């Protein structure tokens, strides 16, 4: 059996979006001929992470997970330093090199949005002769915030420094990579534009999958203190996951459509509807700010919208998806955005109001599976037209009351087992090159 060293700094029991591909693959890798070892950062060194022990029940208990201790955030935060890689990158690097020096690994797989970890690939390839695969879950070099004139996370100066470093490192890392996978089909073209020597066809598009076992765990462990009373006689719409300024156009479309529906709602159905947006930010309490509520108020429907901006346990979020009367799935105005949460949304098998950029992979996935009423936009200029369409095809048509037609055959390629088989094919090809 071949051996793969998986570098995933965020890892259970930490609940973080960028560990999901690895977590979902672990139950299936051995059946695909690969023995995994995971290299992660200890939970106590991760600032603001939601610790969720149930996540560790979702993959085999005998998978070797090595958790390294770096500098804890409390030590450096007083000096204004919170960056995970600055605090823990050295410890992770040294642990990885000890492993590669003492054991034979056939491949290293970097699956993380801590892009500084990618820079270990060429170094380890040169020193230990081991090929590596990169997993792009976000763009590394990214001009989105400059194009949209939006304040980047961490502020303009820090973001500019990170991007300067990324532009220096990414070409070297890409040149030496044995394979590249990505969650969006836009990433290959983006890399091709940045680097004329890079062949976009090298990028294998693998969306995040979903597992029925996760939903079983969620049913067995409902939230200790639920945020929603689903038996109160109201019709509850649910969204779980990050919401940022990039989602303002899609949110405005939904809320404007609802306000227009209220104005013509003679049967007073609208007053029985509530919209819940859960886990919209990454900042730990008491930090962060609401994103959804200000948009709802601006569209005149603030009283119908509840935003819980702090992250909740992953299995709590699945509970809310399963119990919801209907789901709301909104996307970014960035065409490259591919929501990692869309597969669980689809697998929840609830009526879904889905509003995404017209070039997003999410729209085609939802069309194949068939659970969502889909609405596409190009930019904020489409808010009025798309809102009118949502009002007619969703609210006026009582789409949330219609039976869900879930195409299990179409969803099959999105299961964790099927996507791990595709990942295995990438691993096999990478070790043959």
């Amino acid at each position: 059996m071949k051996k793969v060293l998986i570098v995933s700094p965020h890892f259970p029991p930490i609940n973080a979006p960028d560990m999901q591909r690895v977590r979902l693959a672990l139950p299936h890798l051995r059946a695909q001929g690969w023995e995994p070892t995971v290299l992660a950062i200890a939970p106590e060194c991760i600032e603001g992470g939601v610790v969720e022990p149930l996540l560790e029940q979702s993959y085999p208990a005998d998978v070797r997970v090595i958790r390294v201790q770096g500098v804890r955030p409390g030590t450096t935060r007083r000096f204004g330093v919170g960056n995970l890689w600055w605090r823990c990158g050295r410890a992770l690097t040294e642990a990885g090199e000890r492993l590669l020096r003492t054991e034979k690994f056939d491949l290293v797989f970097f699956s993380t949005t801590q892009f500084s970890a990618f820079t270990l690939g060429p170094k380890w390839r040169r020193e230990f002769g081991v090929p590596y695969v990169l997993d792009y879950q976000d763009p590394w070099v990214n001009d989105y915030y400059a194009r949209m004139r939006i304040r980047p996370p961490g502020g303009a100066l820090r973001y500019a420094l990170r991007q300067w470093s990324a532009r220096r490192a990414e070409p070297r890392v890409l040149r030496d990579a044995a394979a590249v996978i990505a969650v969006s089909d836009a990433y290959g073209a983006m890399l091709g534009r940045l680097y004329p020597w890079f062949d976009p066809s090298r990028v294998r598009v693998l969306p995040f999958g979903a597992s029925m076992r996760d939903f079983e765990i969620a049913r067995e462990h409902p939230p200790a203190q639920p945020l929603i009373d689903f038996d109160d006689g109201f019709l509850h719409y649910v969204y779980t996951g990050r919401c940022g300024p990039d989602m303002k156009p899609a949110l405005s479309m939904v809320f404007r459509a609802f306000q227009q529906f209220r104005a013509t709602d003679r049967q007073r159905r609208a007053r029985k509807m509530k919209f819940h947006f859960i886990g919209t930010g990454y900042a730990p309490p008491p930090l962060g700010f609401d994103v959804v509520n200000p948009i709802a108020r601006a569209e005149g429907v603030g009283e119908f919208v509840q935003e819980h901006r702090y992250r909740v346990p992953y299995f709590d979020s699945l509970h809310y998806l399963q119990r919801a009367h209907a789901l709301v799935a909104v996307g970014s105005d960035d065409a490259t955005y591919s929501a990692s949460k869309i597969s669980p949304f689809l697998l929840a098998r609830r009526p879904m109001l889905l509003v995404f950029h017209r070039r997003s992979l999410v729209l085609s996935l939802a069309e194949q599976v068939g659970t969502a009423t889909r609405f596409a936009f190009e930019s904020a200029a489409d808010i009025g037209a798309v809102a009118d369409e949502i009002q007619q095809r969703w609210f006026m048509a009582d789409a949330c009351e219609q039976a869900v037609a879930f195409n299990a055959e179409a969803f099959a390629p999105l299961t964790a087992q099927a996507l791990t088989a595709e990942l295995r094919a990438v691993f096999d090809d990478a070790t043959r090159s």
Side-chain angles (χ1 to χ4, degrees):
M1 185 175 292
K2 294 181 179 180
K3 293 176 60 178
V4 58
L5 175 60
I6 301 174
V7 179
S8 178
H10 294 129
F11 196 71
I14 290 294
N15 172 3
D18 65 343
M19 62 82 192
Q20 292 285 25
R21 189 190 302 282
V22 173
R23 182 186 68 85
L24 289 166
L26 289 179
H28 310 288
L29 275 174
R30 286 169 174 159
Q32 298 292 337
W34 284 87
E35 176 63 35
T37 295
V38 179
L39 182 58
I41 292 172
E44 56 269 25
C45 292
I46 296 176
E47 186 175 36
V50 174
V51 178
E52 188 172 359
L54 276 177
L55 287 167
E56 296 181 290
Q57 296 185 19
S58 64
Y59 61 86
D62 61 347
V63 168
R64 182 168 59 154
V65 180
I66 297 170
R67 307 176 195 275
V68 303
Q69 288 277 352
V71 179
R72 299 192 181 192
T75 305
T76 61
R77 179 51 70 182
R78 71 188 75 171
F79 305 108
V81 176
N83 184 282
L84 181 64
W85 190 255
W86 291 352
R87 293 186 292 102
C88 303
R90 180 176 179 180
L92 187 141
T93 301
E94 291 175 350
E97 291 177 355
R98 282 194 298 271
L99 283 168
L100 293 168
R101 194 175 294 117
T102 57
E103 299 182 34
K104 174 66 170 69
F105 285 90
D106 299 278
L107 187 72
V108 178
F109 178 44
F110 294 95
S111 186
T112 177
T113 53
Q114 293 290 317
F115 290 113
S116 295
F118 283 16
T119 62
L120 298 176
K123 182 176 188 290
W124 289 353
R125 182 176 182 269
R126 184 174 62 251
E127 294 181 7
F128 303 105
V130 58
Y132 62 92
V133 173
L134 305 173
D135 179 9
Y136 273 77
Q137 301 180 24
D138 282 323
W140 190 359
V141 173
N142 188 0
D143 67 349
Y144 169 79
Y145 297 102
R147 282 189 291 107
M148 304 303 292
R149 299 181 180 180
I150 295 174
R151 183 181 185 274
L157 178 60
R158 290 187 181 184
Y159 190 77
L161 289 172
R162 290 199 299 270
Q163 285 294 289
W164 176 81
S165 176
R167 285 190 294 271
R168 288 171 56 89
E170 186 172 50
R172 176 171 47 88
V173 172
L174 272 176
R175 284 186 188 276
D176 290 341
V180 179
I181 67 173
V183 296
S184 170
D185 57 356
Y187 289 2
M190 180 187 301
L191 292 171
R193 288 192 299 271
L194 285 169
Y195 314 111
W197 49 263
F198 182 81
D199 181 2
S201 67
R202 287 186 59 199
V203 178
R204 179 81 170 266
V205 179
L206 292 183
F208 281 13
S211 169
M212 279 305 303
R213 173 59 183 151
D214 285 355
F215 282 91
E216 293 168 3
I217 294 173
R219 280 191 288 269
E220 294 165 1
H221 300 275
Q225 297 180 314
L227 298 173
I228 304 172
D229 178 5
F230 287 105
D231 299 317
D232 62 0
F234 284 84
L235 186 69
H236 294 280
Y237 286 75
V238 171
Y239 170 96
T240 63
R242 181 194 75 87
C243 270
D246 56 318
M247 295 176 176
K248 182 178 179 180
L251 288 166
S252 298
M253 292 167 191
V254 172
F255 295 148
R256 187 168 302 180
F258 179 61
Q259 173 67 333
Q260 291 171 181
F261 171 64
R262 286 183 62 215
T264 59
D265 180 27
R266 295 179 179 177
Q267 297 178 9
R268 304 176 72 87
R269 293 169 294 173
R271 66 178 182 174
K272 301 297 287 184
M273 297 180 181
K274 290 184 178 180
F275 296 80
H276 305 270
F277 291 80
I278 299 170
T280 57
Y282 290 142
L287 305 176
F289 54 89
D290 286 352
V291 171
V292 178
N293 279 334
I295 301 171
R297 289 194 293 268
E299 296 294 343
V301 295
E303 64 187 289
F304 298 90
V305 177
Q306 297 178 357
E307 179 176 6
H308 179 85
R309 66 173 178 254
Y310 299 119
R311 294 189 66 80
V312 301
Y314 172 69
F315 293 106
D316 284 10
S317 71
L318 293 188
H319 167 85
Y320 299 127
L321 294 182
Q322 290 183 105
R323 292 292 312 279
H325 298 102
L327 305 180
V328 180
V330 290
S332 171
D333 58 3
D334 182 356
T336 68
Y337 174 77
S338 181
S340 60
K341 59 183 166 285
I342 195 60
S343 291
F345 269 58
L346 294 170
L347 198 54
R349 304 189 187 199
R350 309 302 301 152
M352 188 184 340
L353 167 57
L354 187 147
V355 186
F356 266 74
H357 195 285
R358 69 177 64 258
R359 295 198 298 275
S360 171
L361 180 64
V362 168
L363 285 171
S364 60
L365 293 177
E367 181 179 12
Q368 294 166 27
V369 177
T371 60
T373 303
R374 304 174 307 282
F375 301 90
F377 68 94
E378 186 72 31
S379 69
D382 298 328
I383 289 176
V386 176
D388 289 344
E389 187 182 0
I390 294 171
Q391 180 197 4
Q392 294 297 322
R393 290 180 47 216
W394 179 268
F395 290 112
M396 296 294 291
D398 285 332
C400 65
E401 303 285 355
Q402 296 173 11
V404 172
F406 181 81
N407 187 332
E409 184 178 351
F411 188 83
L414 295 176
T415 63
Q417 184 174 4
L419 286 166
T420 304
E422 292 198 42
L423 185 62
R424 180 264 304 160
V426 173
F427 287 1
D428 289 348
D429 289 345
T431 53
R432 282 195 291 263
S433 60

